[in-house]
Short mmCIF file of all heavy atoms in Angstrom, two decimals:
data_model
loop_
_atom_site.label_atom_id
_atom_site.label_comp_id
_atom_site.label_asym_id
_atom_site.label_seq_id
_atom_site.Cartn_x
_atom_site.Cartn_y
_atom_site.Cartn_z
N LEU A 739 -16.12 -0.50 16.63
CA LEU A 739 -15.48 0.62 15.94
C LEU A 739 -15.31 0.27 14.47
O LEU A 739 -14.84 -0.82 14.14
CB LEU A 739 -14.12 0.96 16.56
CG LEU A 739 -14.12 1.39 18.03
CD1 LEU A 739 -12.73 1.86 18.44
CD2 LEU A 739 -15.14 2.50 18.29
N ARG A 740 -15.71 1.20 13.61
CA ARG A 740 -15.62 0.98 12.16
C ARG A 740 -14.52 1.87 11.59
O ARG A 740 -14.77 2.99 11.13
CB ARG A 740 -16.95 1.32 11.50
CG ARG A 740 -18.12 0.48 11.97
CD ARG A 740 -19.43 1.02 11.45
NE ARG A 740 -20.58 0.25 11.94
CZ ARG A 740 -21.84 0.70 11.93
NH1 ARG A 740 -22.11 1.92 11.46
NH2 ARG A 740 -22.82 -0.05 12.39
N PRO A 741 -13.28 1.40 11.60
CA PRO A 741 -12.19 2.24 11.11
C PRO A 741 -12.12 2.26 9.59
O PRO A 741 -12.60 1.35 8.91
CB PRO A 741 -10.95 1.57 11.70
CG PRO A 741 -11.34 0.13 11.80
CD PRO A 741 -12.80 0.13 12.16
N THR A 742 -11.50 3.32 9.10
CA THR A 742 -11.20 3.40 7.68
C THR A 742 -9.89 2.66 7.43
O THR A 742 -9.54 1.74 8.16
CB THR A 742 -11.12 4.86 7.25
OG1 THR A 742 -10.17 5.54 8.10
CG2 THR A 742 -12.48 5.54 7.37
N SER A 743 -9.13 3.04 6.43
CA SER A 743 -7.89 2.33 6.06
C SER A 743 -6.76 2.72 7.02
O SER A 743 -6.20 3.81 6.91
CB SER A 743 -7.51 2.66 4.62
OG SER A 743 -8.54 2.28 3.73
N ILE A 744 -6.41 1.81 7.93
CA ILE A 744 -5.37 2.08 8.92
C ILE A 744 -4.01 1.72 8.35
O ILE A 744 -3.87 0.74 7.61
CB ILE A 744 -5.63 1.27 10.20
CG1 ILE A 744 -7.08 1.42 10.67
CG2 ILE A 744 -4.67 1.68 11.31
CD1 ILE A 744 -7.48 0.43 11.74
N TYR A 745 -3.01 2.50 8.70
CA TYR A 745 -1.64 2.21 8.26
C TYR A 745 -0.67 2.66 9.35
O TYR A 745 -1.05 3.38 10.28
CB TYR A 745 -1.31 2.95 6.95
CG TYR A 745 -1.19 4.45 7.12
CD1 TYR A 745 0.07 5.05 7.25
CD2 TYR A 745 -2.32 5.26 7.21
CE1 TYR A 745 0.19 6.42 7.44
CE2 TYR A 745 -2.20 6.63 7.40
CZ TYR A 745 -0.95 7.21 7.52
OH TYR A 745 -0.83 8.56 7.72
N GLY A 746 0.59 2.24 9.23
CA GLY A 746 1.60 2.67 10.19
C GLY A 746 2.62 1.59 10.49
O GLY A 746 2.65 0.55 9.82
N PRO A 747 3.49 1.79 11.48
CA PRO A 747 4.48 0.80 11.88
C PRO A 747 3.85 -0.54 12.22
O PRO A 747 2.76 -0.60 12.80
CB PRO A 747 5.14 1.44 13.10
CG PRO A 747 4.98 2.91 12.89
CD PRO A 747 3.63 3.06 12.26
N ASN A 748 4.53 -1.63 11.84
CA ASN A 748 4.07 -3.01 12.04
C ASN A 748 2.94 -3.39 11.09
O ASN A 748 2.26 -4.39 11.32
CB ASN A 748 3.64 -3.27 13.49
CG ASN A 748 4.77 -3.11 14.48
OD1 ASN A 748 5.94 -3.25 14.13
ND2 ASN A 748 4.42 -2.79 15.72
N ASP A 749 2.76 -2.63 10.04
CA ASP A 749 1.75 -2.95 9.04
C ASP A 749 2.17 -4.20 8.26
O ASP A 749 3.30 -4.68 8.38
CB ASP A 749 1.56 -1.77 8.07
CG ASP A 749 0.15 -1.69 7.51
OD1 ASP A 749 -0.54 -2.73 7.47
OD2 ASP A 749 -0.26 -0.58 7.10
N ASP A 750 1.25 -4.71 7.46
CA ASP A 750 1.54 -5.83 6.58
C ASP A 750 2.05 -5.27 5.25
O ASP A 750 1.31 -4.61 4.52
CB ASP A 750 0.26 -6.65 6.35
CG ASP A 750 0.46 -7.80 5.38
OD1 ASP A 750 1.61 -8.04 4.97
OD2 ASP A 750 -0.54 -8.44 5.02
N PHE A 751 3.31 -5.52 4.96
CA PHE A 751 3.91 -5.01 3.73
C PHE A 751 4.12 -6.10 2.69
O PHE A 751 4.77 -5.86 1.68
CB PHE A 751 5.26 -4.34 4.05
CG PHE A 751 5.14 -3.09 4.88
CD1 PHE A 751 5.19 -3.14 6.26
CD2 PHE A 751 4.94 -1.84 4.27
CE1 PHE A 751 5.07 -1.99 7.04
CE2 PHE A 751 4.81 -0.69 5.04
CZ PHE A 751 4.88 -0.76 6.42
N GLU A 752 3.58 -7.29 2.94
CA GLU A 752 3.76 -8.39 2.00
C GLU A 752 3.00 -8.12 0.70
O GLU A 752 1.84 -7.70 0.73
CB GLU A 752 3.26 -9.70 2.62
CG GLU A 752 4.13 -10.19 3.77
CD GLU A 752 5.54 -10.48 3.33
OE1 GLU A 752 5.72 -11.08 2.25
OE2 GLU A 752 6.48 -10.10 4.06
N PRO A 753 3.63 -8.38 -0.45
CA PRO A 753 3.00 -8.05 -1.74
C PRO A 753 1.64 -8.70 -1.95
O PRO A 753 0.73 -8.07 -2.50
CB PRO A 753 4.02 -8.59 -2.76
CG PRO A 753 5.32 -8.54 -2.04
CD PRO A 753 5.01 -8.87 -0.62
N ALA A 754 1.46 -9.92 -1.48
CA ALA A 754 0.22 -10.65 -1.77
C ALA A 754 -0.95 -10.23 -0.88
O ALA A 754 -2.10 -10.46 -1.24
CB ALA A 754 0.45 -12.15 -1.64
N THR A 755 -0.66 -9.63 0.28
CA THR A 755 -1.71 -9.39 1.25
C THR A 755 -1.85 -7.95 1.71
O THR A 755 -2.82 -7.61 2.39
CB THR A 755 -1.49 -10.27 2.50
OG1 THR A 755 -0.16 -10.04 3.01
CG2 THR A 755 -1.62 -11.75 2.16
N SER A 756 -0.90 -7.08 1.37
CA SER A 756 -0.92 -5.72 1.90
C SER A 756 -2.01 -4.88 1.26
O SER A 756 -2.41 -5.11 0.11
CB SER A 756 0.43 -5.05 1.70
OG SER A 756 0.78 -5.02 0.33
N HIS A 757 -2.47 -3.88 2.01
CA HIS A 757 -3.41 -2.89 1.49
C HIS A 757 -2.64 -1.80 0.75
O HIS A 757 -1.40 -1.80 0.72
CB HIS A 757 -4.25 -2.32 2.62
CG HIS A 757 -5.16 -3.34 3.25
ND1 HIS A 757 -5.34 -3.44 4.61
CD2 HIS A 757 -5.92 -4.31 2.70
CE1 HIS A 757 -6.18 -4.43 4.87
NE2 HIS A 757 -6.55 -4.97 3.73
N VAL A 758 -3.36 -0.84 0.21
CA VAL A 758 -2.75 0.08 -0.75
C VAL A 758 -1.64 0.94 -0.15
O VAL A 758 -0.58 1.09 -0.76
CB VAL A 758 -3.83 0.96 -1.43
CG1 VAL A 758 -4.58 1.83 -0.42
CG2 VAL A 758 -3.21 1.84 -2.51
N THR A 759 -1.84 1.52 1.03
CA THR A 759 -0.83 2.44 1.57
C THR A 759 0.48 1.73 1.90
O THR A 759 1.55 2.17 1.45
CB THR A 759 -1.38 3.19 2.80
OG1 THR A 759 -2.55 3.93 2.41
CG2 THR A 759 -0.34 4.16 3.34
N PRO A 760 0.49 0.62 2.66
CA PRO A 760 1.75 -0.08 2.89
C PRO A 760 2.37 -0.62 1.60
O PRO A 760 3.61 -0.66 1.47
CB PRO A 760 1.39 -1.20 3.86
CG PRO A 760 -0.08 -1.35 3.75
CD PRO A 760 -0.61 0.00 3.43
N ALA A 761 1.53 -1.03 0.66
CA ALA A 761 2.07 -1.52 -0.62
C ALA A 761 2.84 -0.42 -1.34
O ALA A 761 3.93 -0.65 -1.88
CB ALA A 761 0.94 -2.04 -1.50
N LEU A 762 2.29 0.79 -1.34
CA LEU A 762 2.97 1.91 -1.99
C LEU A 762 4.24 2.31 -1.25
O LEU A 762 5.26 2.64 -1.87
CB LEU A 762 2.02 3.10 -2.10
CG LEU A 762 0.81 2.92 -3.02
CD1 LEU A 762 -0.10 4.15 -2.97
CD2 LEU A 762 1.25 2.66 -4.46
N VAL A 763 4.20 2.28 0.08
CA VAL A 763 5.40 2.58 0.87
C VAL A 763 6.51 1.61 0.49
O VAL A 763 7.66 2.01 0.24
CB VAL A 763 5.10 2.51 2.38
CG1 VAL A 763 6.40 2.50 3.18
CG2 VAL A 763 4.23 3.69 2.80
N ARG A 764 6.20 0.33 0.44
CA ARG A 764 7.22 -0.67 0.11
C ARG A 764 7.79 -0.43 -1.29
O ARG A 764 9.02 -0.47 -1.49
CB ARG A 764 6.60 -2.07 0.17
CG ARG A 764 7.60 -3.19 -0.09
CD ARG A 764 6.91 -4.55 -0.28
NE ARG A 764 6.23 -4.62 -1.57
CZ ARG A 764 4.91 -4.63 -1.72
NH1 ARG A 764 4.12 -4.53 -0.67
NH2 ARG A 764 4.38 -4.70 -2.92
N LYS A 765 6.94 -0.18 -2.24
CA LYS A 765 7.40 -0.01 -3.62
C LYS A 765 8.30 1.20 -3.78
O LYS A 765 9.29 1.17 -4.52
CB LYS A 765 6.19 0.09 -4.56
CG LYS A 765 5.42 -1.22 -4.69
CD LYS A 765 4.17 -1.06 -5.54
CE LYS A 765 3.41 -2.38 -5.63
NZ LYS A 765 2.19 -2.28 -6.47
N VAL A 766 7.97 2.29 -3.09
CA VAL A 766 8.77 3.51 -3.19
C VAL A 766 10.10 3.34 -2.47
O VAL A 766 11.17 3.63 -3.03
CB VAL A 766 8.00 4.73 -2.64
CG1 VAL A 766 8.93 5.95 -2.54
CG2 VAL A 766 6.81 5.05 -3.53
N VAL A 767 10.08 2.89 -1.23
CA VAL A 767 11.30 2.77 -0.43
C VAL A 767 12.27 1.77 -1.06
O VAL A 767 13.49 1.98 -1.05
CB VAL A 767 10.97 2.36 1.02
CG1 VAL A 767 12.24 2.07 1.81
CG2 VAL A 767 10.17 3.46 1.71
N GLU A 768 11.74 0.71 -1.65
CA GLU A 768 12.59 -0.28 -2.30
C GLU A 768 12.99 0.11 -3.72
O GLU A 768 13.73 -0.63 -4.38
CB GLU A 768 11.88 -1.64 -2.31
CG GLU A 768 11.69 -2.23 -0.91
CD GLU A 768 11.02 -3.58 -0.94
OE1 GLU A 768 10.59 -4.02 -2.03
OE2 GLU A 768 10.92 -4.21 0.13
N ARG A 769 12.51 1.26 -4.15
CA ARG A 769 12.85 1.80 -5.48
C ARG A 769 12.52 0.80 -6.59
O ARG A 769 13.31 0.54 -7.50
CB ARG A 769 14.32 2.18 -5.56
CG ARG A 769 14.73 3.33 -4.65
CD ARG A 769 13.98 4.62 -5.02
NE ARG A 769 14.48 5.80 -4.32
CZ ARG A 769 13.96 6.28 -3.18
NH1 ARG A 769 12.95 5.65 -2.61
NH2 ARG A 769 14.44 7.36 -2.63
N GLN A 770 11.32 0.25 -6.51
CA GLN A 770 10.88 -0.65 -7.56
C GLN A 770 10.77 0.11 -8.88
O GLN A 770 10.38 1.28 -8.90
CB GLN A 770 9.55 -1.30 -7.18
CG GLN A 770 9.65 -2.25 -6.00
CD GLN A 770 8.37 -3.02 -5.77
OE1 GLN A 770 7.46 -3.04 -6.60
NE2 GLN A 770 8.28 -3.69 -4.61
N HIS A 771 11.14 -0.55 -9.96
CA HIS A 771 11.12 0.11 -11.26
C HIS A 771 10.50 -0.82 -12.30
O HIS A 771 11.04 -1.88 -12.58
CB HIS A 771 12.54 0.49 -11.68
CG HIS A 771 12.59 1.25 -12.97
ND1 HIS A 771 12.29 2.59 -13.03
CD2 HIS A 771 12.88 0.84 -14.22
CE1 HIS A 771 12.41 2.99 -14.29
NE2 HIS A 771 12.77 1.94 -15.02
N PRO A 772 9.35 -0.45 -12.82
CA PRO A 772 8.58 0.73 -12.46
C PRO A 772 7.77 0.49 -11.18
O PRO A 772 7.70 -0.65 -10.70
CB PRO A 772 7.64 0.90 -13.65
CG PRO A 772 7.40 -0.51 -14.11
CD PRO A 772 8.71 -1.23 -13.89
N ILE A 773 7.17 1.55 -10.65
CA ILE A 773 6.24 1.43 -9.52
C ILE A 773 4.87 1.16 -10.10
O ILE A 773 4.28 2.03 -10.76
CB ILE A 773 6.23 2.70 -8.66
CG1 ILE A 773 7.59 2.88 -7.96
CG2 ILE A 773 5.11 2.64 -7.62
CD1 ILE A 773 7.73 4.18 -7.21
N GLU A 774 4.39 -0.05 -9.90
CA GLU A 774 3.09 -0.45 -10.45
C GLU A 774 1.99 -0.13 -9.45
O GLU A 774 2.08 -0.50 -8.28
CB GLU A 774 3.08 -1.93 -10.78
CG GLU A 774 1.77 -2.39 -11.42
CD GLU A 774 1.73 -3.89 -11.65
OE1 GLU A 774 2.19 -4.65 -10.76
OE2 GLU A 774 1.21 -4.31 -12.69
N VAL A 775 0.96 0.55 -9.91
CA VAL A 775 -0.18 0.90 -9.08
C VAL A 775 -1.41 0.19 -9.63
O VAL A 775 -1.74 0.34 -10.81
CB VAL A 775 -0.42 2.42 -9.05
CG1 VAL A 775 -1.63 2.76 -8.18
CG2 VAL A 775 0.82 3.14 -8.55
N TRP A 776 -2.06 -0.60 -8.80
CA TRP A 776 -3.27 -1.29 -9.23
C TRP A 776 -4.41 -0.29 -9.39
O TRP A 776 -4.63 0.56 -8.53
CB TRP A 776 -3.65 -2.36 -8.23
CG TRP A 776 -2.69 -3.53 -8.26
CD1 TRP A 776 -1.47 -3.60 -8.86
CD2 TRP A 776 -2.90 -4.81 -7.67
NE1 TRP A 776 -0.90 -4.81 -8.67
CE2 TRP A 776 -1.75 -5.59 -7.94
CE3 TRP A 776 -3.93 -5.36 -6.91
CZ2 TRP A 776 -1.62 -6.90 -7.50
CZ3 TRP A 776 -3.81 -6.67 -6.47
CH2 TRP A 776 -2.67 -7.44 -6.77
N GLY A 777 -5.15 -0.43 -10.49
CA GLY A 777 -6.22 0.50 -10.78
C GLY A 777 -5.69 1.75 -11.47
O GLY A 777 -4.52 1.83 -11.88
N ALA A 778 -6.55 2.75 -11.55
CA ALA A 778 -6.19 3.99 -12.25
C ALA A 778 -5.66 5.06 -11.31
O ALA A 778 -5.34 6.17 -11.73
CB ALA A 778 -7.41 4.52 -13.00
N GLY A 779 -5.58 4.75 -10.01
CA GLY A 779 -5.06 5.72 -9.05
C GLY A 779 -6.09 6.73 -8.59
O GLY A 779 -5.75 7.67 -7.88
N GLU A 780 -7.34 6.52 -8.97
CA GLU A 780 -8.39 7.50 -8.66
C GLU A 780 -9.22 7.13 -7.43
O GLU A 780 -10.02 7.94 -6.96
CB GLU A 780 -9.30 7.67 -9.87
CG GLU A 780 -8.58 8.21 -11.10
CD GLU A 780 -9.45 8.23 -12.34
OE1 GLU A 780 -10.60 7.71 -12.26
OE2 GLU A 780 -9.00 8.75 -13.37
N ASP A 781 -9.09 5.89 -6.94
CA ASP A 781 -9.85 5.49 -5.75
C ASP A 781 -9.50 6.42 -4.58
O ASP A 781 -8.34 6.77 -4.38
CB ASP A 781 -9.52 4.06 -5.35
CG ASP A 781 -10.11 3.05 -6.32
OD1 ASP A 781 -10.78 3.46 -7.28
OD2 ASP A 781 -9.89 1.83 -6.10
N VAL A 782 -10.51 6.80 -3.81
CA VAL A 782 -10.33 7.74 -2.71
C VAL A 782 -10.57 7.02 -1.39
O VAL A 782 -11.56 6.32 -1.21
CB VAL A 782 -11.28 8.94 -2.83
CG1 VAL A 782 -11.19 9.84 -1.59
CG2 VAL A 782 -10.96 9.73 -4.09
N ARG A 783 -9.62 7.21 -0.46
CA ARG A 783 -9.72 6.59 0.85
C ARG A 783 -9.45 7.60 1.96
O ARG A 783 -8.67 8.53 1.81
CB ARG A 783 -8.69 5.45 0.99
CG ARG A 783 -8.95 4.27 0.07
CD ARG A 783 -10.21 3.51 0.49
NE ARG A 783 -10.45 2.37 -0.38
CZ ARG A 783 -11.15 2.42 -1.50
NH1 ARG A 783 -11.68 3.57 -1.89
NH2 ARG A 783 -11.33 1.33 -2.23
#
């Protein structure tokens, strides 16, 4: 099975290893200031 970008409960939310969706969830819920997004935000998944 060739899945696309999977996310959800029990994901990896660690800053050094997480993928984009869990990384964004962590940054928003923790109210990081500012919220840093790697890249220009235009990548499509």
Side-chain angles (χ1 to χ4, degrees):
L739 299 188
R740 299 170 183 162
T742 54
S743 300
I744 311 168
Y745 70 99
N748 298 335
D749 210 336
D750 177 6
F751 293 91
E752 291 299 317
T755 54
S756 59
H757 294 137
V758 61
T759 301
L762 294 176
V763 167
R764 183 191 72 250
K765 291 176 181 181
V766 171
V767 173
E768 294 181 353
R769 295 298 189 266
Q770 292 188 12
H771 184 78
I773 293 174
E774 183 185 41
V775 180
W776 289 13
E780 298 174 354
D781 289 359
V782 174
R783 294 291 180 271

